[in-house]
Amino acid sequence: MSKVLHKYRGDSSFTDGIIASGKVFLATAHQLNDPFECSLQDIGREWLDKQIETGMQASVAGFLFEAKRSVDESRSFFGVEHPQIQAAIGAVASKNSLAESYDAWRAFMQARTGHPPSDVRALFSRIDSQLVETGIFSLSADPAHPLMWAHYADQHRGLCLGFEETPGSKLANWVHCLQVIYSDELPEMQGNGFQTTMAFSMDEAGRPYTSSYKISFEDETFRRVVSTKPTAWSYEQEVRYIEPFGGLCDWPGMLSECTFRLGCRDDRRQHYIGLLESHVPNEVRLFEIRKVHGTNSLERVPMAIPHTRPRPLTGPDQEDTDQPKQMSEEVFIASMQQLMQQERYGDVIYQTSENLKRNPSSPRLLHLKATAHGLAQDHEKALILYDQLANDYPNVAAGWFGMACALESLGKIDEVVPLLRRASQLEPYDPSIALNLGVHLVGTEETRAEGLLHLRRADKLGHRRAQRIINEVEAMPGGEKAGSA
């Protein structure tokens, strides 16, 4: 039999939802119960600068090499003929700095393809963001641990669902399933840096472009970061199912076992057995936990009825019709979040656009489409949608914050702070808004003290990067004086 991993759950409607919907919720590092989740020892500025410089040099050199070769071979280059190719080479090669040459190359590529190529600077600026955005579904190898029943199963009154590592499942895929490493030392950057990956999308004109450039799930350092916990948690025997983003995802493996604690009432056992029989097409093996006589130990034993008897679907659920049922907005957004986890941003944009035709003023759909455009590096279109959201729903912070993020990505920094102030007034307890506002304000001496106040608020609200930025600001000339204001 394949290995089974276990999810301890309380008796609640959320547990009902796991069984009835066929989906599990992947939490991000912000939502997990350990402040050291997904933490990496500080990455040195010197290392980052070197990686960025190397990446920029490689991009510019590759462009110049291919452009010159197209001239030598008398062929066009991205639709540009010989005289214009020479002009493009000169425009890139004649700049006074590597950064200017790099920006000139990206401008040429955007003009010829409709999309700028991935920016190596953005990759390294978002390392920590990618780490904390990773979705994590925690499982245990042990279905009978008393502390796990106490901590995660409603003080022994809940149940434990077993997901099987069936062939082809996410649990059987080493990229998505990680054994937790227990260590009191934070993971360190490997000497060879990060392994990266690209994802491609199609725009409305059918042109391919790079929609994502990020750390690969297969990168050794990345995998150690998202799978390392302090040794105090070692009793959990944890295994993690991971995806690029948090949210709802399909079961990572077949739901094949359910274990009840003795504290789970008989009526609640029957409730869950009924859910399993109605919604899980395969037999689910049933167990219960009991005390080992004369000891303080627990053991797991089969129930008197050892497995469920799946019920065939009847009634409307069994209808086979050519007319698909219309999803609720909640279900649609959950399905789009799964597509974004797969970095299929073009699909999200198209399907959300179709739904907006039926409900053009939905704030959640507008935000979803804007987010997909932003993730696809199409910040101009993201800005238009966030602007619409802010105008239609001026008391919703997401529109103002999204506009600020889009404008920053477009290099329009002077317009960002007023939008962040508005978002902060509407959502004073959002750590990301507080952090972004603080970062923009500490850049000038006149607003540094105010910026530190926002950064400290972000730190209290649990933002992982806030304390490091505070330390950097306070180390600046005059920083300590500003920090004491």
Side-chain angles (χ1 to χ4, degrees):
M1 182 178 17
S2 301
K3 183 178 179 180
V4 177
L5 298 169
H6 306 275
K7 184 66 176 179
Y8 289 84
R9 293 292 310 169
D11 178 1
S12 72
S13 59
F14 296 106
T15 303
D16 291 1
I18 292 176
I19 299 171
S21 69
K23 298 184 184 299
V24 295
F25 181 79
L26 275 64
T28 62
H30 288 303
Q31 298 164 317
L32 296 172
N33 56 3
D34 183 352
F36 297 104
E37 290 285 2
C38 299
S39 294
L40 178 68
Q41 287 194 24
D42 284 344
I43 304 168
R45 184 73 250 174
E46 182 179 342
W47 184 91
L48 280 177
D49 290 342
K50 181 62 177 176
Q51 301 304 309
I52 291 171
E53 181 183 6
T54 300
M56 293 169 66
Q57 287 174 338
S59 297
V60 171
F63 167 81
L64 293 174
F65 175 80
E66 290 297 331
K68 290 175 180 176
R69 188 166 71 169
S70 69
V71 172
D72 294 339
E73 296 175 358
S74 300
R75 57 180 174 81
S76 65
F77 182 67
F78 287 95
V80 175
E81 300 302 328
H82 188 136
Q84 291 78 24
I85 299 174
Q86 292 284 21
I89 292 172
V92 172
S94 64
K95 298 300 182 183
N96 295 323
S97 68
L98 174 60
E100 290 176 323
S101 294
Y102 186 72
D103 288 336
W105 161 68
R106 296 186 75 245
F108 172 85
M109 295 300 293
Q110 180 169 14
R112 301 311 306 168
T113 67
H115 295 277
S118 299
D119 191 339
V120 67
R121 296 166 295 193
L123 169 72
F124 288 101
S125 70
R126 293 193 68 254
I127 287 176
D128 194 59
S129 295
Q130 184 181 342
L131 292 173
V132 299
E133 286 170 358
T134 302
I136 297 172
F137 185 64
S138 298
L139 297 149
S140 174
D142 185 356
H145 199 290
L147 287 179
M148 297 291 285
W149 281 103
H151 293 165
Y152 301 112
D154 194 18
Q155 292 296 323
H156 299 267
R157 292 186 290 271
L159 62 155
C160 189
L161 300 174
F163 295 93
E164 192 165 330
E165 293 182 354
T166 48
S169 69
K170 291 294 182 74
L171 293 184
N173 184 337
W174 69 273
V175 174
H176 290 272
C177 189
L178 302 178
Q179 183 75 46
V180 166
I181 301 163
Y182 294 101
S183 172
D184 291 328
E185 298 293 329
L186 292 178
E188 295 183 357
M189 175 73 64
Q190 298 298 304
N192 56 355
F194 283 114
Q195 178 181 349
T196 58
T197 185
M198 289 185 180
F200 296 89
S201 292
M202 303 289 285
D203 65 13
E204 290 87 343
R207 297 173 299 192
Y209 67 98
T210 306
S211 61
S212 173
Y213 180 42
K214 62 202 308 183
I215 307 166
S216 169
F217 255 34
E218 300 178 24
D219 178 78
E220 181 182 349
T221 300
F222 176 84
R223 294 173 69 79
R224 285 185 63 83
V225 170
V226 297
S227 64
T228 297
K229 292 185 71 170
T231 55
W233 298 95
S234 60
Y235 69 89
E236 293 183 339
Q237 300 183 48
E238 185 178 347
V239 177
R240 293 183 158 179
Y241 158 48
I242 64 170
E243 292 286 359
F245 296 97
L248 289 173
C249 294
D250 294 336
W251 292 338
M254 180 176 71
L255 179 51
S256 63
E257 292 185 3
C258 182
T259 304
F260 296 100
R261 183 68 170 98
L262 288 178
C264 184
R265 302 194 319 262
D266 286 344
D267 62 321
R268 300 308 296 165
R269 292 189 187 202
Q270 292 307 312
H271 167 77
Y272 283 108
I273 291 172
L275 280 176
L276 292 167
E277 291 182 336
S278 298
H279 296 282
V280 183
N282 52 276
E283 290 184 348
V284 178
R285 297 181 292 277
L286 301 174
F287 299 88
E288 63 182 359
I289 297 293
R290 68 184 183 191
K291 293 181 180 179
V292 178
H293 182 69
T295 74
N296 289 322
S297 302
L298 300 177
E299 65 177 351
R300 189 175 76 138
V301 297
M303 290 180 59
I305 300 176
H307 56 76
T308 60
R309 297 177 175 84
R311 302 170 190 164
L313 292 176
T314 58
D317 290 337
Q318 199 178 28
E319 292 179 2
D320 184 14
T321 175
D322 293 333
Q323 298 298 323
K325 297 178 181 178
Q326 186 170 331
M327 292 182 185
S328 69
E329 187 173 282
E330 193 77 30
V331 172
F332 174 76
I333 289 174
S335 68
M336 293 301 99
Q337 287 173 338
Q338 290 190 61
L339 290 180
M340 284 203 283
Q341 289 163 2
Q342 300 167 29
E343 300 179 346
R344 293 167 57 185
Y345 307 129
D347 290 341
V348 175
I349 291 166
Y350 172 77
Q351 293 191 43
T352 307
S353 298
E354 292 298 302
N355 271 265
L356 279 166
K357 292 177 182 178
R358 295 189 291 269
N359 190 6
S361 61
S362 167
R364 300 179 69 190
L365 293 178
L366 286 171
H367 187 264
L368 180 67
K369 186 178 179 183
T371 300
H373 275 298
L375 290 170
Q377 308 302 311
D378 195 345
H379 302 296
E380 292 280 5
K381 290 182 179 177
L383 178 61
I384 293 170
L385 290 165
Y386 283 128
D387 182 57
Q388 179 183 345
L389 182 61
N391 285 316
D392 292 349
Y393 301 91
N395 294 323
V396 175
W400 304 103
F401 182 52
M403 286 176 64
C405 294
L407 286 166
E408 181 174 4
S409 296
L410 292 167
K412 300 178 180 180
I413 306 300
D414 293 342
E415 303 175 46
V416 169
V417 169
L419 299 171
L420 289 175
R421 287 191 190 279
R422 182 68 178 272
S424 181
Q425 291 169 356
L426 293 170
E427 287 288 349
Y429 300 110
D430 186 306
S432 293
I433 295 175
L435 182 100
N436 278 270
L437 180 55
V439 166
H440 280 275
L441 291 174
V442 296
T444 60
E445 187 174 350
E446 293 79 9
T447 57
R448 187 170 299 159
E450 181 190 357
L452 278 166
L453 291 176
H454 289 290
L455 288 172
R456 292 195 178 102
R457 179 159 55 90
D459 187 41
K460 288 181 180 179
L461 292 170
H463 201 293
R464 298 159 54 82
R465 295 203 303 271
Q467 187 57 57
R468 176 173 58 81
I469 298 172
I470 291 169
N471 293 340
E472 291 175 356
V473 173
E474 291 181 340
M476 296 166 56
E480 291 184 4
K481 182 178 179 180
S484 62

